[in-house]
Structure formats: structure tokens, C-alpha cells
Amino acid sequence: MVEKNKHYNIEITGVSSDCNGVGQIDGFAVFVPMTVTGDVAEIVVVKVLSRYAIGRVLNIITPSPMRKEPECPVFKRCGGCHLQHIKYKNQLEIKRGFIEAAMQRIGGFDGFKCDEVLGMENPERYRNKCIFPIGTDRNGEVVSGFYAKRSHEIIPVTDCMAGQELNGKIVDAVKEYMSEVNIKPYDEATHTGLVRRVFIRDGRNSGEIMVVVSVNGKNVPKREILIKKLRSISENIVSIFININEKQTNNVLGEENKLIYGKPEIEDTLCGIKFSISPHSFYQINPYMTEKLYGKALEYAQITEKDKVLDVYCGIGTISLSASKTAKHVTGIEIVEQAVKDAKKNAENNGITNAEFFADSAENAVPKLIESGIRPDVVILDPPRKGSDEATLRAIAQAEPKRIVYVSCNASTLARDAKFLAELGYTPTKCTGVDMFPHTSHVETVVLLQRQNT
Ligand code: SAH
């Protein structure tokens, strides 16, 4: 019997999909955060539930060969990364295991294999979007950084290694401005104060930077001081917004943006295509790996100049426009109207005339398109974390495309949907993971599903 508060020695034999090490004590599963397969650790049991217990490491007796010293000083407290205590090549293997486990257990695909998880050469400074909450610490000092695990306590971080180096300077400039004009950070508990977050986006290929200061109000005082401070950091800061976020909400940005300096959009190039990005646009956050991800998706899609392609959940049209280079025609479906406007504009700016975009939900639009007689040869699906739905998948299968390429940021919903597609005649034949978010628990997966009789 595993008992609460008792100390045990445990050997860690695996890592769960939420990145906790797991081992057994007397045949009972115990999850231990911050451990990895191969560790032998002394732990204290902090919680016992009916089917498992949770432990906390007191001492690593024998470190796993996969272990390494985390490089970030706040790794243990910050909620951003989960795997920095594990060597990068092992992180990739662990993620491959997550994908295979989901496809086998949830999808029911016995012995399913994922070829590999493509990793970064240098898995740092990859994020082109960072959000720094601003608040007050216990001593009344203004702090900025990231939220602690499962909380809204701000862990002070000036230089997060996931983002570009300039971010720290940008956040400091905003704090300096706040102190100079005497404005307070937002306080969640009392819904008072002004500055909530600093949101920074950079176009990795263009170098252009956008700064959005989200505030609990309609404006900021003496904004020329803010603009001057930001512009003195880098002339690449070409777009500065105030975002109006007056609601009591966890949403990073409110609906309304006020441009206070420069251009309303920054530009970036991805897969040789130019994209305009506004504060609310969805844009993949790791540009290096996005190119690998789309490359793999298009490799699986094997699009020829005769093929009609349907890209469902197309966002601002990144995959659609890449596919349009070889396809006869591409149709993109996306629920967010602004994203569809961006997609159309991106097509126009790049002189692409064989792609069209519709703002509608997949579950509504796809069955209608198929009913109207459209027969795509290849379908690309890139849904949000909750995955696709039966109406969309059924309609796609009815149209009998040769190939379905499913791009997913959540292996569990991917496996569930792949199982449903398998019942409708599609077999997952190839799978690759792409490490879009190094050091975190997340992994992107690309699966090729082929019609059984083709
Ligand atoms: N393929 C794009 C975006 C993928 S993210 C890219 O790689 O950049 C998933 C997208 O699905 C988001 O843009 C989101 O707005 C959209 N979405 C979410 N639910 C949807 C639904 N029910 N129907 C259509 N699109 C949806």
C-alpha cells in the first residue's frame, strides 16, 4: 500500500504524455514530476488516488543517462517548459512514444509506428510570438515574466530562451515607461490597474517586430514616450499597438487594437510565400519547424498539377498557398473571418490565382461543398487541439479523395479521428512528428491516410 507522506525509492520506467516520470511502488503507479525514464529517486508521496499516486522528488539517487542540467534558471517554477531536464535527442524519442501510444491505444492501430520526430538543430530562440504578463509582486514591485505552473503568479523572467533576445529589452522599456508616467500594472483580483500584457511578434525572415501592449482601458497616457522608448531599442519595431482588454478574462488580447505607431501588419516569408500578420492572426510560432512541417505535409500529399486540394482549418492560408504552387486548385476553409481575409490578401500579394477561401466552420462548409459536387483529390486537415468532427470527416470520406493528410497538435484527438476515418476506408500509412515546441510537452504530428482500394 502506497501511503501519503511516506518516503520511497522508485525507479522511473516511463514518461506520461503530460511529461511526468512514472514508476511503480508495489505494483501501484506513481507519477513523479521532473523525472525521466532511468532515474532512481527518493520521493515523498504527496497524493494517493484510487488508481495512482503522485510523488515529489527528494533526491535523485541514480540519474538517468537521459538527464541533463536545465539551462533556464526558472525552469522548475515557470509553467512554459516541461522537458528541460532531459537531453534534446531523448525529448524527441519521448515525443515519438507519445504519438505511437496515442495511435495504438486510442486509435486502435496495433503496432503503429511513427518514423521519427524531426527536431531543431539548435532548439532555442525559436518562438516568433511571446506574451509577457505584467503584474505586481508581494513587495509591490512591478514584475513581468511568465505564469507559474497552474497559477497566475508571475515568475520574473527577462530573457526567455524560447523567444528572441530583444524581448527582454522590449518588456523592460514598457516597464520603464510605466514607471515614468506613473501607471500601474493590472491586478486580476481587483480588476484595477492598466497594463496587462506585452505581446511581441517578430517576422523571423523579415526581421520586422510588432509590439502590442494590452491594457485595461481605452488608451495609455503620454504614448509618445512609450513609442520613443521602443523605437530606440530597434528600428525593426515597425508596428506598435494598444490592445483594449477591459473584460475580466484570461484572454491575452481584447477584440480591439489601436495602432499607435507604424504599420498595422508585419511581413514574413514562409516557404517562399510572403505573409502579412496582424495582432490577431493565427501564425505558427516556430518558423524554422513550420517549414519542415509543411514540407512533410506536402511530401505526403504528393500533389500534382491535376489535383484539386481541400485545406480544412486553413488559418491565414499558409498550407493552402504552399500547396497552390503545384495543385490545380486549392479551397481553404477557416472559421475565423479575419484569417480568411488575410488568406485572400496573402494569395493576392503573392499573385496566386488558383486558391479560394471560405469563412465558415468545417462541419458546416465541408458537407455542403461535397454535396455541391466538389471532389477533392487530396484533403489536408489541420484542426485545433480538439480535433475534427464526425460531420466533417464523414463528408470528406464520401468524396473519396486519394489521400488525406492530417496535421495535428494533439495526438489524442488525431488518434480518435484517424480511427473514425479508418472505419470509413482510410488507413494511416505514414507518420512523422515535428518538434514545433522544443522543451514543452507538445508535439506536432503529420499522418498520411490512404484510401484502402487505391
Ligand atoms: N493550417 C493553419 C492553421 C491551423 S490552426 C496553419 O498551419 O497556420 C487551426 C485553425 O482552425 C485555426 O485557424 C482555427 O481558427 C481554425 N478552426 C477552429 N475551429 C474550426 C472549425 N470548426 N471550422 C473551421 N476552422 C476552425
Side-chain angles (χ1 to χ4, degrees):
M1 258 290 276
V2 174
E3 284 173 44
K4 191 175 167 177
N5 295 331
K6 232 176 125 172
H7 292 197
Y8 297 89
N9 288 354
I10 186 170
E11 185 185 342
I12 302 299
T13 53
V15 176
S16 68
S17 60
D18 49 2
C19 291
N20 295 318
V22 58
Q24 294 205 335
I25 297 170
D26 301 334
F28 195 70
V30 183
F31 291 89
V32 189
M34 301 281 168
T35 58
V36 60
T37 315
D39 278 339
V40 178
E42 182 189 358
I43 63 160
V44 55
V45 169
V46 292
K47 205 172 194 178
V48 182
L49 295 141
S50 60
R51 290 172 52 212
Y52 63 92
I54 297 169
R56 178 165 59 80
V57 174
L58 297 172
N59 173 31
I60 301 285
I61 301 166
T62 315
S64 156
M66 295 186 196
R67 198 169 255 287
K68 82 183 237 301
E69 213 31 60
E71 271 159 50
C72 176
V74 295
F75 165 59
K76 286 192 180 149
R77 295 163 61 216
C78 173
C81 293
H82 319 95
L83 297 169
Q84 282 209 17
H85 60 298
I86 303 173
K87 288 177 188 156
Y88 187 57
K89 70 172 195 319
N90 297 114
Q91 290 185 22
L92 298 178
E93 275 307 297
I94 287 169
K95 291 185 182 185
R96 188 158 74 104
F98 291 169
I99 296 168
E100 290 181 348
M103 288 297 279
Q104 290 170 12
R105 286 184 208 150
I106 302 169
F109 303 106
D110 291 339
F112 186 88
K113 290 277 171 242
C114 167
D115 286 348
E116 61 177 329
V117 173
L118 301 173
M120 293 187 77
E121 229 162 83
N122 179 11
E124 317 292 350
R125 310 243 173 249
Y126 58 86
R127 285 192 72 106
N128 59 15
K129 176 173 110 177
C130 282
I131 298 150
F132 295 84
I134 307 244
T136 313
D137 69 9
R138 288 188 198 112
N139 307 320
E141 295 289 324
V142 176
V143 285
S144 59
F146 295 110
Y147 291 130
K149 291 191 171 98
R150 288 180 294 278
S151 119
H152 270 198
E153 184 201 346
I154 297 173
I155 304 294
V157 181
T158 41
D159 183 24
C160 168
M161 280 163 15
Q164 58 165 351
E165 267 171 290
L166 225 50
N167 288 348
K169 285 194 184 155
I170 293 172
V171 177
D172 283 346
V174 175
K175 285 197 292 189
E176 260 175 51
Y177 153 77
M178 288 169 65
S179 145
E180 252 175 70
V181 303
N182 198 19
I183 53 178
K184 299 246 171 320
Y186 177 67
D187 179 349
E188 262 182 23
T190 57
H191 192 51
T192 57
L194 190 61
V195 177
R196 297 176 79 133
R197 292 182 182 89
V198 182
F199 170 108
I200 306 165
R201 255 185 160 159
D202 69 278
R204 221 28 92 88
N205 283 307
S206 67
E208 292 188 338
I209 299 171
M210 169 184 284
V211 178
V212 184
V213 181
S214 130
V215 296
N216 173 34
K218 300 234 172 348
N219 215 330
V220 293
K222 297 188 185 153
R223 61 194 198 193
E224 62 289 350
I225 300 181
L226 173 67
I227 295 166
K228 194 164 165 219
K229 280 190 187 297
L230 288 173
R231 287 281 299 162
S232 72
I233 296 172
S234 166
E235 293 200 341
N236 283 350
I237 300 179
V238 293
S239 170
I240 307 175
F241 279 96
I242 296 297
N243 172 265
I244 299 165
N245 192 1
E246 293 177 296
K247 291 195 187 141
Q248 270 181 296
T249 158
N250 281 338
N251 291 350
V252 170
L253 296 179
E255 278 164 28
E256 199 183 328
N257 298 307
K258 241 189 206 169
L259 183 69
I260 61 165
Y261 175 82
K263 322 190 281 178
E265 281 153 353
I266 56 169
E267 293 216 330
D268 199 24
T269 317
L270 201 63
C271 302
I273 296 167
K274 242 196 247 163
F275 289 96
S276 302
I277 308 148
S278 53
H280 278 94
S281 313
F282 176 89
Y283 191 60
Q284 297 281 2
I285 58 108
N286 183 334
Y288 313 102
M289 296 313 281
T290 300
E291 292 201 335
K292 296 217 166 132
L293 176 72
Y294 293 170
K296 192 48 85 173
L298 293 179
E299 177 195 318
Y300 283 179
Q302 288 174 53
I303 297 165
T304 69
E305 66 279 8
K306 288 190 201 130
D307 287 335
K308 293 184 293 287
V309 177
L310 178 63
D311 179 17
V312 190
Y313 313 96
C314 69
I316 60 167
T318 34
I319 302 180
S320 315
L321 297 181
S322 304
S324 74
K325 287 184 194 166
T326 40
K328 181 173 178 202
H329 187 266
V330 183
T331 307
I333 309 286
E334 160 63 46
I335 200 166
V336 175
E337 255 173 64
Q338 183 57 45
V340 170
K341 282 189 190 145
D342 290 346
K344 288 180 178 167
K345 204 169 126 196
N346 290 328
E348 204 180 298
N349 290 347
N350 289 282
I352 293 168
T353 52
N354 62 340
E356 58 179 347
F357 297 94
F358 297 103
D360 198 352
S361 70
E363 54 276 30
N364 224 344
V366 177
K368 273 195 214 147
L369 276 177
I370 305 302
E371 256 167 51
S372 76
I374 287 182
R375 291 286 172 268
D377 303 286
V378 178
V379 174
I380 295 167
L381 291 166
D382 184 7
R385 289 191 68 73
K386 71 174 175 35
S388 190
D389 62 90
E390 295 194 356
T392 304
L393 298 176
R394 197 173 282 123
I396 289 170
Q398 241 168 32
E400 302 189 352
K402 291 175 281 191
R403 287 180 287 284
I404 300 173
V405 178
Y406 195 128
V407 179
S408 162
C409 56
N410 181 344
S412 304
T413 54
L414 160 70
R416 178 202 65 200
D417 291 348
K419 183 176 184 188
F420 189 67
L421 284 169
E423 286 160 15
L424 300 172
Y426 286 84
T427 311
T429 52
K430 284 185 186 171
C431 173
T432 302
V434 181
D435 195 25
M436 297 280 277
F437 319 102
H439 308 306
T440 74
S441 60
H442 301 289
V443 62
E444 202 82 11
T445 311
V446 191
V447 171
L448 171 64
L449 294 119
Q450 282 178 296
R451 255 185 79 75
Q452 267 151 24
N453 56 1
T454 53

